[in-house]
Amino acid sequence: MPMQPRRWTPPKPTPRARQKHSVPPMPALRLLPLPGSGPEDVVVAADGRVLTGLHDGAIVAVDPGTGAVEQIARTQGRPLGLHANADGSVLICDAGRGLLRLDRPGGEVETLVAEIEGEPLRFPSNVVADQDGTIYFSASSRRWPLEQWRGDIMEHSGTGRLLRRDPGGLIEILIDGLDFANGVVLAPDRSCVVVAETGAYRITRYWLTGPKAGTYDRLVENLPGFPDNMCLGSDGLIWVSIPSPRNPLLDTLLPLPPVLRRISWAIPESLQPTPERTVWAMAFDFDGALVHDLQREGTEYAMVTAVVEHDGAVYLGSLTESAIAVTSVPA
């Protein structure tokens, strides 16, 4: 039986999460043009190139110094979240095909997970792997496809999941009922894995070791915007992309009964809540303390759905743009 959307009252947004220290605004952006649109996620490969997937199914590697672009694969679908392994292989969440693996640049693409408990894997979103081959990945919705992602946010279906695939191929659902499950990060000490809940403005933590193993709690709650893809930076922080600040109309709709939220989804798209143009990334430590809060006006770039920090450089991806944006951690 399909899960029923549950009623949920969003907390009032706070000005900011608790900070360890203040930081200056996001430095100026440098754009790396791409041969297509929609670099929804960005990761840094072992060779230092930035990997991303495009709307037409291409996986490309970009030299951040020269801007040179090489196509290394094509999924025949819509690639979203990526994970670059040390051996050169790449894990790919493809919105239409499931969880995939590219064995090497220019190599074969194989399907690792196409269904969960006999049901097609819909809307896989983000993925990370441990050194032993264990894979953690999220699925945003069991009701809505990528093309209608706003439908899940407005309906608040609560059908997202955090999943684990062990080295032998066994799939386990770690958390069910998440509100648009999105970015996934594995702690460096393997004590926990965290997942962004875009529709609930929070980051949820699933414990892998210790007395809380097998349970979950909230690492960060009541974010001022929608958390999307996340990545573990070379600085050991959880970097979180924020495509848009919270929308007051959407906060008003969410506590309403499901039938009324479905009606609101049926109104003309021009009247529905839309993301604001902004460039925004945040970084938290594994105690939930905010370390960086970087923002710029969305005049030259917007809808930031991905961020990764590497040796002080910060790379941004977007669901709608045709470039990767590069900035830096303020000194």
Side-chain angles (χ1 to χ4, degrees):
M1 179 180 296
M3 295 181 60
Q4 295 299 313
R6 64 191 187 282
R7 297 188 65 176
W8 177 78
T9 302
K12 293 182 179 180
T14 54
R16 289 290 183 269
R18 57 194 178 92
Q19 292 187 347
K20 273 189 170 180
H21 54 78
S22 60
V23 292
M26 179 183 288
L29 301 180
R30 175 170 61 94
L31 300 185
L32 301 174
L34 297 169
S37 64
E40 197 269 347
D41 193 20
V42 288
V43 296
V44 177
D47 64 5
R49 293 190 296 176
V50 181
L51 308 184
T52 191
L54 303 179
H55 187 270
D56 64 0
I59 305 293
V60 298
V62 184
D63 185 314
T66 66
V69 179
E70 178 190 3
Q71 179 176 309
I72 62 172
R74 186 174 291 275
T75 69
Q76 308 302 323
R78 180 34 167 131
L80 299 175
L82 307 175
H83 175 79
N85 289 309
D87 64 0
S89 63
V90 182
L91 298 174
I92 306 164
C93 287
D94 189 284
R97 295 189 55 196
L99 179 63
L100 313 178
R101 179 181 180 272
L102 171 67
D103 63 351
R104 66 187 188 284
E108 298 295 323
V109 176
E110 64 173 320
T111 300
L112 296 182
V113 183
E115 61 179 40
I116 303 293
E117 298 180 342
E119 176 184 317
L121 174 58
R122 297 185 179 91
F123 210 156
S125 187
N126 204 225
V127 59
V128 67
D130 202 349
Q131 294 174 352
D132 66 357
T134 301
I135 299 171
Y136 300 91
F137 62 104
S138 62
S140 293
S141 175
R142 294 169 67 182
R143 290 178 53 84
W144 297 92
L146 170 66
E147 295 76 16
Q148 296 176 303
W149 61 267
R150 282 191 295 182
D152 194 276
I153 296 292
M154 294 181 70
E155 183 183 279
H156 210 71
S157 74
T159 59
R161 292 175 288 181
L162 175 66
L163 305 115
R164 174 167 57 196
R165 181 187 187 272
D166 72 14
L170 180 66
I171 308 298
E172 181 182 2
I173 300 172
L174 301 182
I175 312 178
D176 206 343
L178 295 172
D179 290 305
F180 205 92
N182 216 319
V184 181
V185 169
L186 178 65
D189 63 0
R190 277 68 179 171
S191 62
C192 66
V193 59
V194 299
V195 57
E197 291 190 73
T198 303
Y201 316 114
R202 67 190 175 206
I203 300 171
T204 292
R205 171 175 51 194
Y206 181 89
W207 290 99
L208 300 171
T209 63
K212 297 181 180 180
T215 68
Y216 65 91
D217 56 19
R218 313 303 181 192
L219 179 67
V220 182
E221 292 193 90
N222 200 17
L223 286 165
F226 295 91
D228 204 292
N229 285 320
M230 305 191 299
C231 200
L232 179 67
S234 62
D235 53 11
L237 299 176
I238 304 165
W239 282 84
V240 186
S241 60
I242 308 289
S244 174
R246 287 167 62 160
N247 182 284
L249 175 58
L250 190 56
D251 276 358
T252 301
L253 291 173
L254 290 182
L256 298 179
V259 64
L260 294 180
R261 295 200 300 271
R262 292 193 190 102
I263 291 173
S264 69
W265 169 235
I267 65 177
E269 185 173 340
S270 61
L271 300 178
Q272 295 172 15
T274 56
E276 296 182 25
R277 288 190 61 86
T278 185
V279 183
W280 196 353
M282 306 175 82
F284 297 87
D285 65 20
F286 279 88
D287 291 322
L290 178 63
V291 180
H292 298 294
D293 186 0
L294 308 181
Q295 298 184 54
R296 289 182 65 84
E297 293 293 329
T299 53
E300 53 188 323
Y301 203 80
M303 193 65 174
V304 173
T305 53
V307 58
V308 59
E309 180 276 339
H310 185 71
D311 293 340
V314 177
Y315 303 99
L316 306 173
S318 168
L319 185 64
T320 58
E321 300 286 353
S322 297
I324 293 170
V326 187
T327 182
S328 61
V329 179

